[in-house]
Amino acid sequence: MFNEEKIELEVQECMKNLLDLVKQEIDIKKKLTKRSISKKEWQRNHRKRAHRAGEEYISSRITVEAKSIKDCKNNCKFRCDKKIYKNFKEKTFMDFFQLDNGGKHNFTNQTTTGTTALLGKESSRRKKSYSYFLMMGEETFRVCKSHYLSTLAVSQKMIYNVHGKKDPVT
């Protein structure tokens, strides 16, 4: 009888150990399945944020350099470099890239105008002519296309998209 009691105690102890192991496995599974999803940490969202901010980032294939300001051509008919100072260009550049997409759209819409092109030929593919403006304090200066695009480090396609949409973003 002494042996039976000893065996029974050993069986109970084994059952306790087994239950403890099962509980530990369940806790581990709960921790794995209940972890929170952090979309901010996703690599594609880091890339997207860096792209919108004009910073350097690694795309899926290549490293894309940070956006930077380039100088205007010397033969500009508006003499943009003489009217607009370099530190103002840098401030405009930084302010522009701190805006979200809707703010960038509104800024571009307010500082450019698209008018119907008046050309002698009716068969011309050109539909609009664009005028570009930058504001320095209270004054507004008309600038050339290359100066405007280089100050904001954007492409002409953005201007076409802004003026091509039917309903502007408010």
Side-chain angles (χ1 to χ4, degrees), residues 17-35:
N17 289 340
L18 186 61
L19 282 173
D20 288 340
L21 287 173
V22 169
K23 284 181 184 178
Q24 286 176 356
E25 277 188 50
I26 291 172
D27 288 342
I28 290 172
K29 285 183 181 179
K30 280 184 182 179
K31 286 180 184 176
L32 290 176
T33 57
K34 293 231 178 183
R35 66 185 169 129

